[in-house]
Amino acid sequence: MYSDEYFMKIALDEAKLAFDTDEVPVGAIVTINGKIIAAAHNLTETLIDVTAHAEMQAITAAENYLAAKYLNDCTLYVTVEPCVMCAGALGWSQISRIVYGASDEKRGFTRFAPNALHPKTTVIAGVLHSECENLMKEFFKKKRRN
Amino acid sequence: MYSDEYFMKIALDEAKLAFDTDEVPVGAIVTINGKIIAAAHNLTETLIDVTAHAEMQAITAAENYLAAKYLNDCTLYVTVEPCVMCAGALGWSQISRIVYGASDEKRGFTRFAPNALHPKTTVIAGVLHSECENLMKEFFKKKRRN
């Protein structure tokens, strides 16, 4: 079986696509039984839409793929801790597992909406933490320079 | 100027469109300077997508209309208290005012994510409360009968 690190690397590749188009670099994928069924990166600037976070698009795409509103057997890999909005959406989806890389102390759900997820959802934090965090730091350093 | 009740009636008309297609009956509109720039109703069943709440669609449509990510001068009217997901999205949008009808004690943001909104956002609750709540009650009564 593939490891969580393996899938997080793919989410990181998505985040790098966001970075390259001047979007806050967050990437996400959804898997079921080790198969990737959705991949997305943040598009809030491109679409001029605050709801276009990587996770939101990945949820919509995965539900579309499965033709089902619930993601009970799925795992979401996302490079940064989901925000309140995304955690709320993940709660509605009843997703089985969430694996994230870097923490987000300013906007993360664990601080602002700790009960947003479905009670059965498992959360794993810190997978490829440094790589995910460094990409964010590099982005905001570049922003400050401009 | 039009009153909050005036606009909530239009949001209620949207909610009734949801009711008629067997969707949880929630409707929302966004206004700017007394002009409606977005109108939407819950489409989660139709689109098989948990993110398709009325508020999410209304935010996306309003930002699209304004070609701007922020809704600082806008008011959202929604028939039921926003959930955690929608409150998170409204927080990102920095919307000026939120007016809602019925409270949602099971899923509402005031219970699960009380700090999700932008600090400058004003919230008015209970406008046409009974009409909004009765539509929800009627829907779930119908559901239980089926």
Side-chain angles (χ1 to χ4, degrees), chain A residues 9 14 35 42 44 47 62 77 114:
Chain A
K9 271 184 194 148
E14 281 290 330
K35 179 184 168 185
N42 179 33
T44 50
L47 299 179
Y77 294 87

Side-chain angles (χ1 to χ4, degrees), chain A residues 44-45 48-51 53 56 59-60 63-64 67-69 83-85 88-89 92-93 107 112-113 115-116, chain B residues 44-45 48-51 53 56 59-60 63-64 67-69 83-85 88-89 92-93 107 112-113 115-116:
Chain A
T44 50
E45 300 299 329
I48 316 176
D49 184 351
V50 295
T51 75
H53 281 193
M56 302 299 282
I59 293 167
T60 297
E63 294 184 353
N64 197 348
K69 258 178 62 187
C83 73
V84 171
M85 169 179 73
W92 286 116
S93 81
R107 298 285 199 161
F112 291 100
N115 299 314
Chain B
T44 50
E45 299 299 330
I48 316 176
D49 183 350
V50 295
T51 75
H53 282 192
M56 302 299 282
I59 293 166
T60 297
E63 294 184 353
N64 197 348
K69 258 177 63 185
C83 73
V84 172
M85 169 180 72
W92 286 116
S93 81
R107 298 284 200 164
F112 291 99
N115 298 314

Side-chain angles (χ1 to χ4, degrees), chain B:
Chain B
M1 279 299 290
Y2 300 110
S3 66
D4 284 342
E5 284 74 15
Y6 173 84
F7 287 120
M8 188 61 84
K9 271 184 195 148
I10 297 168
L12 254 173
D13 287 341
E14 281 290 329
K16 286 170 190 165
L17 293 176
F19 186 99
D20 291 343
T21 54
D22 221 28
E23 297 274 4
V24 174
V26 182
I29 63 168
V30 175
T31 66
I32 186 165
N33 302 324
K35 179 183 167 186
I36 298 169
I37 59 169
H41 57 270
N42 179 33
L43 284 174
T44 50
E45 299 299 330
T46 306
L47 299 179
I48 316 176
D49 183 350
V50 295
T51 75
H53 282 192
E55 302 95 312
M56 302 299 282
Q57 297 174 66
I59 293 166
T60 297
E63 294 184 353
N64 197 348
Y65 177 87
L66 297 172
K69 258 177 63 185
Y70 299 112
L71 302 176
N72 309 82
D73 299 319
C74 297
T75 299
L76 175 94
Y77 294 88
V78 58
T79 56
V80 180
E81 180 186 345
C83 73
V84 172
M85 169 180 72
C86 294
L90 290 161
W92 286 116
S93 81
Q94 301 186 14
I95 198 161
S96 176
R97 286 178 81 228
I98 298 169
V99 181
Y100 67 84
S103 293
D104 183 354
E105 283 171 22
K106 281 192 185 161
R107 298 284 200 164
F109 80 98
T110 55
R111 178 169 166 199
F112 291 99
N115 298 314
L117 303 178
H118 191 273
K120 287 189 180 168
T121 301
T122 309
V123 179
I124 315 277
V127 172
L128 299 189
H129 171 270
S130 300
E131 290 89 331
C132 296
E133 189 175 81
N134 287 344
L135 191 65
M136 290 288 275
K137 281 185 176 166
E138 196 184 332
F139 178 80
F140 287 110
K141 206 162 85 180
K142 185 180 76 171
K143 277 283 177 197
R144 279 192 298 272
R145 269 203 309 269
N146 293 341

Side-chain angles (χ1 to χ4, degrees), chain A residues 99-111:
Chain A
V99 181
Y100 67 84
S103 292
D104 182 354
E105 283 172 21
K106 283 192 184 159
R107 298 285 199 161
F109 81 98
T110 55
R111 179 170 166 198

